Structures are given as structure tokens and as C-alpha cells.
Amino acid sequence: MMKFILSEKPVSELKANLLVVPVWENGSTIPDQITFAHGDLKKMIVETSKEEKFTGELEKSLFLPVSHVLPYQRLLLIGMGKQKDWDKERVRRFGAWAIKAAEKVSAPKIVFALDYFGELDIQQITHALVEGAELGCYRFLKYKSAEKVEKLHLTPIEEIVLAGIPQKEHEDLVPHIRRAQLFAKATMFSRDLINEPASEMTPGRLLHVAQEIALKSDEIQLTYFDKDQARERGMNAFLAIAAGSSREPYFVHLHYSPRSGQPRQKIAVVGKGITFDSGGLSLKPTEAMVDMKIDMSGAANVLGIFSVLCELQPEIEIDGIFPACENMPSGNAVKPGDVVRAMNGKSIEIVNTDAEGRVVLADALCYTVTLDPAFIIDFATLTGASMISLGEEISAAFTNSRELYQNFLHAADEEGEKFWELPLVEDYKKKLESQIADMKNVADNRWGGAITAALFMQEFISEKPWIHLDIAGPSGVWTQFNVVPYISQGGTGFGVRSFLNFLEKISSPTV
Ligand code: BES
Ligand code: ZN
Ligand code: ZN
């Protein structure tokens, strides 16, 4: 984590490698927007922005060597587009662009000069800026050799100063900085788990990560079931999917209860934990299989969330559940046409072994219901169909509780994470009727595949208030399509920040 400092001083009285200022496309000219620019500096800004045709357009930026006129080596102007479009998400991106630029020019100390707030307040700006900066320099470099890493010329950012913040605001802002850092930390925790290859991030490793989290804190307890214990509990749907793999499956349950001993309510978060999805005997083609280490993103989110609970201290009791196994073909693997009975007694005909997520989650949801939470939220990289509907940036969402979903959506919106609701269409349940079992795990055709998957899961929640988040799209970035500067290639930890923000909202006594 970086060090963030609030300073009352104007930029002219501070000192750093880099000074970063946002500039806008409309209204006054660029030099006029930079209030501390006079004389030579102003002249240089006028000339260089003209030469470089820099107009403050969004995503464009301009470096200026200013050590002769200011106590900084460089001044970086970042184009922010129209002032009326300035919102929290722009601030988050601004933070990330600045950090990326600073890394490139080896500037360990940065000063931000921000004096336009628009409709936002200083707390919102600080939160978004810190998130953007922290997430913007995330990289997964573990498997690169030292020479390769060296060639990237990355200077670690040590210190970020927010200039011109009145002293009276400081006390109030410090917890906001801390909170944003924890949101980022949890997200990067999830990213690290997703990015690890499936040969490393096995079901056993996921359990081990949960154990480490529980060991570190008095407020978190761990329960887990190995294969035999899961069988005793009737988790046959989960075990059917795990059967093809030579690695031991684990059913993991983390429990957090606040130090105060007076939680406002008890809730549950569930994650899909398929550490590798080959498709099983319904084997995926190589192109579709290559990124399938991502299929434990839901579990990674649960672990990311739990990794910061003791620091955030929400006044909510939380159960975090994930079934962890591999989906592999072998002589022991579940076969298309097999019938298994889930924990609640419903029988499932497994027509397609690649639709394994909903099958393992069937048992996970049954188990979660027995804990009697006020509501359940699940994260699952469940269907390619959700990506056909909404693309790579947006998660599909399903719910049986309007109020719960509205509140979650509001929290997600503040975090710049996009969810879009798809309907749980009653009529489509017919598509899951099986000749020989209570239901089958896939419909006869692909149409509405995200919806039929959600309808399948609904059979196991016993009408508890529930949000199902199909994060198959936004959980990972594998192509060149990536316009968000605080999201790097690979696992994204998408959903962690929304959940944490939501948690804080339902935890605070003002709501
Ligand atoms: N894990 C996949 C879904 C997925 C696809 C996640 C792409 C991330 C990126 C899931 O288990 C799966 O294979 N779903 C099938 C369901 C089909 C067989 C009904 C799919 O979406 O193709
Ligand atoms: Zn699958
Ligand atoms: Zn899967």
C-alpha cells in the first residue's frame, strides 16, 4: 500500500518528483485553469499545449519539465474531458492514469492538485482517487524473471500528497483513505488468487488461504469438509463434479462475527470455486479452456472480502461459503446422463458436465440456507451466455428481492462496477424439466443460457432473499479490450468493492 498524505499547503510550497493536475476541455483555456501558473511557467504551458495540440481531451495527457520554475521535476496535465462529466469513476481513472504515468517517469513522490469538486464532495473524491491509484499499479509479476521485470522500469510509488486540503478536513478524511485502501487491498487479494495458475491454486490451496485468514483473526472461524465429510452431509452434487479430478475437493465455510458481539444482521456470501474448468467429459475446446483458471473467481472474491473484514469491522455477521474442486474428465468423472441428488433431496440429471458451476452451487446454496442468513449474495463465473448478453465489463444480476437488489446496486454504482439485471422468467423453468430426474442442469438449447442457469440455482435457495451475480464477463480481462486504467490484464476481483461498500451501508446505524 502507498502512503497518502493530506496537506494544507498549496502546490508551490510542496516538493516532489511529479505534480499532477486535471484539466478540462471546456470553459477557460488550459493555462488559465492552472491557478499557480504565472510568468515562464504559464508561457511554457501555452506554447507546449499548442504544439502538442493538447486540449484537455479525456485520456490525453501532457508532461512538462518544470524543475526550473517549480519544486517538481515534472508537471503532468491529465485531460479529463468536459467538466460536466466529472464523476467518481473519472476520479478513479484519473488516479490510475496519474500513477501509471508516474511509474513510467520514475517518480516515487507525487503531489495531486485538485481544486474542482463539481457535484462530488471531498470524501468521495479522496475515496475514488485512492482506489484508482492503488489498483492502477497492480501487476501480477510473480512468474516473470528479474530481467524481464527490470525492463518494465517500474519505480514503486512511495508517497502521494493531496495538496491544498484544509486542515479541518483532515481528521475526517483519514478513515476514508484507509477504507479505500482496504477496498483495493481486498480486490488485489482476489486478483492474486485468480491469476495464479490452476496447478498452484488448487482446491487445497484455496482452503489453505481460508485457513490463513481465519488464523490471523479472532473474529473469523473456519469450518471445512473434505470429501467424506461432504458425503456425510449429502453434498452429492458437489462431489459428482469433483469426481473426475485427482485433487481432493473441499467445501469451505468462513464465519465472521463482529467484536462488539452485537451484529445488526446475519448475511451470507457464496462463491463458485472451480479451480479449473476443463468442461469435464463435455470437454471444452482449447480456446475456451485456456483461461479457465478464472473459474474460482467467486471463491477468490469471498476470500478477498474476508481478508479485510477484521480491519473494516462491519457490525454484521457474515458467512462466506465456497465449494472448491476441479472439473476434469477421467475414468471417475461424472458422465452426461448421470443423476445426482443434491443436499436438499432434489435430483439432477447432469446432461452437460460443463454446466458444473450451478451443480456445485446447488449444494453450496442448500448448505447456506441451513445457516439462516437474512439474505444470500453469490458470485459465480457461471455462463458464457451472460457475456453474450452484456459483454466483458458488465455482470449479469438476478434477484428475487427488489429492495435488496436496489440497495446493492446503489453501492455498486458508487464503486463504478456495472451490474445489469436479467429476469428470472417463470416460463423458462420448463426448459429444465428432465425425463428421469427432478430437473436437468442445462436446457436443450443455448438461448437465454444465463437465465436458465439462474433459474436452476433458484431451486436451491428456499425462497431466501437472494442476488445471483454472474460475473463470467468482468472477472477477467484476457483480450486487448481494456479501457479501464485501474484494471490490468488477468483476474480483476470484480464485485469485491461493491460488496464491501454494500456491507458498510447496511452496517452503519444511519441506514
Ligand atoms: N465456467 C464456465 C462459464 C465461463 C465462460 C466463465 C467464460 C468465464 C468465461 C461455465 O462452467 C460453463 O462452462 N458454462 C457453459 C454452460 C453451457 C454448457 C450450458 C457455457 O457458458 O458455455
Ligand atoms: Zn463449465
Ligand atoms: Zn465453470
Side-chain angles (χ1 to χ4, degrees):
M1 298 274 110
M2 301 160 186
K3 191 168 162 194
F4 287 88
I5 298 168
L6 300 166
S7 174
E8 213 176 11
K9 291 183 180 159
V11 291
S12 55
E13 287 174 31
L14 291 160
K15 196 171 169 242
N17 306 92
L18 184 68
L19 172 62
V20 185
V21 187
V23 288
W24 281 272
E25 224 179 343
N26 53 326
S28 50
T29 64
I30 286 169
D32 286 337
Q33 291 180 36
I34 300 164
T35 46
F36 56 84
H38 310 285
D40 283 353
L41 177 61
K42 187 160 188 169
K43 211 170 130 213
M44 181 163 74
I45 295 173
V46 171
E47 281 166 9
T48 325
S49 52
K50 204 168 167 188
E51 257 168 42
E52 304 278 327
K53 297 194 174 57
F54 177 72
T55 60
E57 195 186 328
L58 190 63
E59 287 185 56
K60 297 272 158 46
S61 59
L62 189 67
F63 269 116
L64 296 152
V66 291
S67 54
H68 55 298
V69 280
L70 281 174
Y72 303 90
Q73 282 158 352
R74 289 183 176 87
L75 169 64
L76 171 64
L77 305 180
I78 300 189
M80 294 308 308
K82 302 266 188 290
Q83 219 163 25
K84 69 169 176 41
D85 297 330
W86 174 248
D87 62 3
K88 246 186 125 173
E89 181 59 14
R90 289 255 162 120
V91 182
R92 206 174 276 117
R93 293 185 186 196
F94 167 70
W97 282 320
I99 286 298
K100 285 186 179 306
E103 275 185 339
K104 263 188 216 139
V105 297
S106 307
K109 289 196 175 140
I110 312 169
V111 171
F112 278 99
L114 254 167
D115 51 16
Y116 173 78
F117 294 174
E119 311 236 298
L120 301 172
D121 58 39
I122 180 93
Q123 283 95 341
Q124 290 172 312
I125 292 196
T126 307
H127 180 87
L129 191 76
V130 172
E131 274 184 344
E134 291 282 5
L135 292 172
C137 48
Y138 175 82
R139 279 179 183 83
F140 188 73
L141 299 172
K142 196 173 158 187
Y143 293 98
K144 296 229 183 242
S145 57
E147 300 91 81
K148 280 264 185 195
V149 175
E150 200 134 313
K151 280 210 185 101
L152 296 170
H153 301 293
L154 302 172
T155 312
I157 309 296
E158 287 162 16
E159 193 179 288
I160 293 179
V161 182
L162 310 185
I165 310 278
Q167 188 71 40
K168 63 175 175 25
E169 310 269 9
H170 290 200
E171 204 184 315
D172 198 33
L173 280 181
V174 171
H176 282 275
I177 293 176
R178 171 107 184 102
R179 187 169 156 273
Q181 284 187 303
L182 288 172
F183 280 28
K185 186 177 149 194
T187 305
M188 296 189 281
F189 193 97
S190 174
R191 287 181 185 180
D192 276 344
L193 299 181
I194 301 167
N195 285 332
E196 202 65 58
S199 59
E200 292 293 321
M201 198 44 65
T202 58
R205 261 291 281 284
L206 281 180
L207 168 65
H208 185 75
V209 174
Q211 281 168 326
E212 282 187 329
I213 290 173
L215 257 180
K216 269 193 225 146
S217 54
D218 297 339
E219 294 96 326
I220 297 176
Q221 258 86 44
L222 171 74
T223 313
Y224 71 91
F225 308 130
D226 61 17
K227 204 191 291 177
D228 294 336
Q229 292 162 320
R231 185 163 296 117
E232 275 164 33
R233 291 183 170 259
M235 296 177 166
N236 295 311
F238 168 50
L239 293 174
I241 299 302
S245 167
S246 49
R247 295 183 205 274
E248 183 81 9
Y250 293 104
F251 189 93
V252 181
H253 172 193
L254 286 160
H255 176 83
Y256 163 87
S257 62
R259 217 172 283 167
S260 68
Q262 284 165 332
R264 287 168 59 84
Q265 56 180 331
K266 176 179 150 95
I267 69 165
V269 55
V270 178
K272 172 175 172 181
I274 299 292
T275 59
F276 189 72
D277 182 10
S278 71
L281 287 174
S282 312
L283 199 66
K284 284 181 187 293
T286 308
E287 319 81 74
M289 203 193 291
V290 66
D291 300 322
M292 278 306 130
K293 66 176 184 182
I294 195 191
D295 220 15
M296 38 58 79
S297 297
N301 281 0
V302 171
L303 289 166
I305 289 161
F306 270 75
S307 75
V308 296
L309 286 182
C310 293
E311 289 159 293
L312 283 174
Q313 284 290 330
E315 292 295 328
I316 305 277
E317 204 178 331
I318 310 160
D319 287 302
I321 287 110
F322 62 87
C325 70
E326 282 183 332
N327 185 23
M328 297 291 280
S330 83
N332 298 322
V334 66
K335 302 166 196 71
D338 281 358
V339 176
V340 294
R341 210 174 277 284
M343 205 179 154
N344 66 352
K346 290 193 185 180
S347 62
I348 304 164
E349 183 188 356
I350 299 184
V351 172
N352 187 324
T353 66
D354 195 14
E356 83 298 339
R358 62 198 78 178
V359 179
V360 298
L361 287 167
D363 277 339
L365 292 172
C366 289
Y367 176 83
T368 306
V369 167
T370 66
L371 306 171
D372 198 27
F375 60 82
I376 303 172
I377 295 183
D378 79 72
F379 288 106
T381 46
L382 207 65
T383 66
S386 67
M387 303 170 71
I388 304 283
S389 314
L390 299 167
E392 295 103 316
E393 263 196 17
I394 308 170
S395 165
F398 298 83
T399 188
N400 57 4
S401 169
R402 197 78 358 242
E403 195 194 343
L404 173 65
Y405 184 64
Q406 284 310 329
N407 292 334
F408 177 80
L409 205 58
H410 176 63
D413 213 44
E414 287 186 347
E415 287 301 324
E417 292 186 318
K418 301 184 193 82
F419 294 87
W420 198 260
E421 191 184 0
L422 296 178
L424 289 161
V425 192
E426 197 71 26
D427 281 351
Y428 291 3
K429 282 191 183 159
K430 270 237 166 330
K431 290 176 165 234
L432 294 172
E433 279 179 8
S434 159
Q435 294 292 323
I436 65 164
D438 295 337
M439 72 193 90
K440 51 187 183 184
N441 75 331
V442 291
D444 290 337
N445 60 34
R446 295 155 51 213
W447 317 129
I451 298 176
T452 45
L455 286 169
F456 180 92
M457 303 226 315
Q458 197 178 14
E459 295 295 315
F460 302 92
I461 53 142
S462 303
E463 295 182 30
K464 276 251 171 255
W466 166 62
I467 305 177
H468 158 51
L469 303 168
D470 190 338
I471 52 171
S475 276
V477 175
W478 314 106
T479 61
Q480 285 306 313
F481 170 78
N482 182 22
V483 292
V484 186
Y486 59 86
I487 295 179
S488 50
Q489 297 266 314
T492 62
F494 181 96
V496 168
R497 288 184 294 121
S498 296
F499 187 90
L500 292 176
N501 195 28
F502 178 57
L503 200 57
E504 295 229 303
K505 284 190 191 299
I506 58 173
S507 162
S508 90
T510 53
V511 183

